[in-house]
Amino acid sequence: MNPFALQPLAGPLPRLSALAKAIFLICLSLAAMRLDLLPLSLLFILILALGGLMGLRLQDGVVAGRGLVILAAFSALARGLFPGDGRIFAVESLGASTLYALRLGTVFVSARLFYASTRLSELGDYLSAGFRVLRRAAAFPGARKRDRPPSLASDPGMMLSLSLVFIPRAFESYRRIRESAENRGFGAGKKRLASGAALLQALIFSSIKNSLRTAEAMEARAYSPGRRIILPRIRPADLLFVAFGLALAALAFLGT
């Protein structure tokens, strides 16, 4: 299963607004970059437990997190290799490397929970609506409106939605390409590097093709940057969630 695809999760998180969840994710990411090892470990375990209770499969996240494991291992090796005192590796550097890996893991599992419970188009609608309000507020009073068709720059939320949806689509494309290659026996030999490069080439080609297909679909549906936007109502639970995220970030910065 695509670990970043929208999933039918249990609990109140899917019912919260995309804006509240995005603000909370930003606050949590900032806090994760400031917390020490013990509170960060507790936060990481708490997010994993919440994801499991809501229905996220842990094994899907493990498969998607292989890149993070490789990055964390390379960082640990580069940090402690040949410290300059005659040793080959500085064992004391493993503490900082572990903290770095845990920070990456916390942000990763939080982002995965955000993707699995959020309609990304809703977040883009908030951005476009806010941009339109700011543009009207910055317009000169009494200025005449030009009869010029709106450009794509007047709908930044659509560009944001397309950018965010690229991650789950890339994972889905890679899954299909890998399964097709395995069914055809491709990459079963010893030339794994060459087969991996071929899969990467196929993934890039598939991503470009999907982008062109998305553009054609938007044109066929008569997309206009001046589209009508209907935003969901902000509820008290959304405000409480944002306040909790801001408090978490404030405690992390004040405690360091």
Side-chain angles (χ1 to χ4, degrees):
M1 180 181 292
N2 188 346
F4 290 97
L6 183 65
Q7 302 178 26
L9 301 181
L13 186 62
R15 295 191 292 270
L16 296 176
S17 69
L19 181 62
K21 285 183 282 189
I23 295 176
F24 181 83
L25 179 61
I26 295 174
C27 294
L28 189 144
S29 301
L30 293 175
M33 295 300 142
R34 303 284 297 188
L35 291 174
D36 293 329
L37 185 59
L38 180 59
L40 186 61
S41 301
L42 295 177
L43 182 62
F44 178 75
I45 295 174
L46 177 60
I47 297 174
L48 278 182
L50 288 176
L53 291 175
M54 293 179 185
L56 282 181
R57 297 175 56 187
L58 181 60
Q59 53 267 35
D60 294 335
V62 172
V63 173
R66 289 177 180 174
L68 283 181
V69 175
I70 296 175
L71 177 61
F74 175 79
S75 174
L77 182 64
R79 186 190 297 269
L81 196 63
F82 299 117
D85 54 0
R87 294 180 297 168
I88 298 178
F89 187 81
V91 181
E92 62 273 12
S93 66
L94 291 177
S97 299
T98 302
L99 182 60
Y100 172 74
L102 192 58
R103 284 171 174 170
L104 288 181
T106 303
V107 175
F108 174 79
V109 296
S110 303
R112 180 173 176 243
L113 192 57
F114 170 80
Y115 270 95
S117 63
T118 307
R119 294 186 180 276
L120 300 177
S121 59
E122 181 183 335
L123 182 60
D125 290 343
Y126 276 107
L127 178 60
S128 292
F131 178 80
R132 293 177 184 179
V133 172
L134 292 177
R135 187 178 58 179
R136 286 195 297 266
F140 293 102
R144 297 181 59 184
K145 296 183 179 180
R146 299 179 181 179
D147 297 331
R148 181 183 300 175
S151 62
L152 187 59
S154 62
D155 192 10
M158 180 59 66
M159 293 185 286
L160 175 65
S161 299
L162 293 176
S163 301
L164 292 176
V165 82
F166 173 78
I167 297 178
R169 285 182 177 177
F171 270 91
E172 184 64 26
S173 298
Y174 176 74
R175 183 187 64 82
R176 291 200 305 265
I177 293 171
R178 186 189 61 188
E179 291 179 354
S180 298
E182 291 176 353
N183 292 334
R184 291 167 172 81
F186 182 77
K190 297 181 179 180
K191 298 181 180 180
R192 294 187 177 273
L193 182 61
S195 61
L199 290 179
L200 179 60
Q201 180 182 2
L203 176 62
I204 295 175
F205 175 77
S206 176
S207 300
I208 297 176
K209 187 175 181 180
N210 289 335
S211 300
L212 294 175
R213 190 177 301 167
T214 300
E216 293 175 355
M218 293 173 62
E219 184 178 358
R221 288 169 174 79
Y223 162 75
S224 171
R227 61 191 175 95
R228 183 183 180 186
I229 298 176
I230 301 177
L231 297 177
R233 184 171 57 89
I234 298 295
R235 296 176 297 179
D238 300 320
L239 300 177
L240 183 62
F241 197 57
V242 171
F244 181 69
L246 294 175
L248 180 62
L251 289 176
F253 276 85
L254 293 177
T256 55

